[in-house]
Amino acid sequence: MAFRTAEMEALWARIRERYGSYLLVLPGDPSFICQPHECDAYCCRAFNVSLDGGEAERLRESSGLPASRFLECEDGEPIALPLAKPFVLGRSDGHCVFLGAELTCDQYEARPDPCRSYPHQVVFVDAASGRAVQPSAEAARRAVEAVAAGREAEGPAPLLLRHDQCPGFTGPPSTEGAWADLLRETYARSVGGAGEVVSSPP
Ligand code: SF4
């Protein structure tokens, strides 16, 4: 595969000012290896994590705890916001309720999708306007498949980004195949069952 890295860099140059906390991820960049002791589990402290019903149920089954013990609650009942991901993972002492003493996730296998994706995210860029856009689910899926295969996207093109606060990018250079899989997986986790994007860029 010959990846179109020059095109990706050109698109990134158009939007990078608006994504000050992110960096572009290209094939061959250092791969991610979580090192929570390097950052004191920054991500499990810094972010509020939104969940849908399926993710909440996964954690309930895995932990054996009632949802009221690990979701943000009001009057003893989980808060349900009018969003595609209505629930918010609970916090205590300034971090997620599932962050363990050894800085590992107590529910790693059942952790919510945003935790699986962090520190990556996918953003789509329209080359004509130079703006980040949200294509239809079908157009987005086709564009991800094209770019993952080293082809040009027909419409807005996906860029794979990473949060710049994460110190875990110390692994070996990612292979083209691993980069393509990461792009596909990060995009897939960002969409709900109906194909709608449920976690959009800041
Ligand atoms: S569920 Fe696990 S990975 Fe996600 S924020 Fe909590 S401790 Fe961190």
Side-chain angles (χ1 to χ4, degrees):
M1 282 186 282
F3 281 96
R4 311 173 75 91
T5 54
E7 283 98 327
M8 287 190 255
E9 286 173 328
L11 288 176
W12 175 234
R14 307 278 298 276
I15 65 162
R16 67 189 311 164
E17 239 177 70
R18 293 190 55 224
Y19 286 79
S21 300
Y22 288 83
L23 299 169
L24 178 65
V25 179
L26 294 171
D29 284 352
S31 51
F32 171 64
I33 301 173
C34 183
Q35 299 167 67
H37 292 278
E38 290 294 315
C39 62
D40 197 26
Y42 167 83
C43 52
C44 302
R45 300 178 189 277
F47 299 109
N48 288 310
V49 178
S50 299
L51 300 82
D52 64 19
E55 291 167 297
E57 179 61 16
R58 193 164 75 206
L59 282 170
R60 190 192 65 74
E61 282 184 6
S62 161
S63 67
L65 297 171
S68 58
R69 292 276 302 280
F70 61 82
L71 296 179
E72 293 292 347
C73 291
E74 201 168 66
D75 299 327
E77 289 297 318
I79 296 168
L81 302 168
L83 299 169
K85 290 198 169 219
F87 305 113
V88 181
L89 198 52
R91 299 171 63 82
S92 73
D93 296 331
H95 57 72
C96 170
V97 290
F98 289 132
L99 180 63
E102 298 302 315
L103 301 183
T104 54
C105 176
D106 285 346
Q107 300 301 322
Y108 186 78
E109 293 301 325
R111 69 198 187 285
D113 289 352
C115 306
R116 293 167 195 264
S117 290
Y118 186 86
H120 300 98
Q121 73 163 279
V122 174
V123 60
F124 291 85
V125 185
D126 174 53
S129 66
R131 299 176 69 90
V133 295
Q134 184 52 64
S136 71
E138 180 55 24
R141 189 191 60 74
R142 280 202 311 269
V144 166
E145 274 311 312
V147 171
R151 302 193 310 273
E152 185 176 7
E154 282 178 18
L159 296 180
L160 181 63
L161 306 184
R162 71 172 176 90
H163 198 225
D164 69 352
Q165 294 294 309
C166 177
F169 289 86
T170 57
S174 66
T175 64
E176 292 184 340
W179 181 89
D181 287 346
L182 183 59
L183 174 67
R184 289 191 185 97
E185 289 164 11
T186 304
Y187 170 69
R189 275 195 291 263
S190 73
V191 295
E196 294 171 0
V197 170
V198 293
S199 65
S200 44

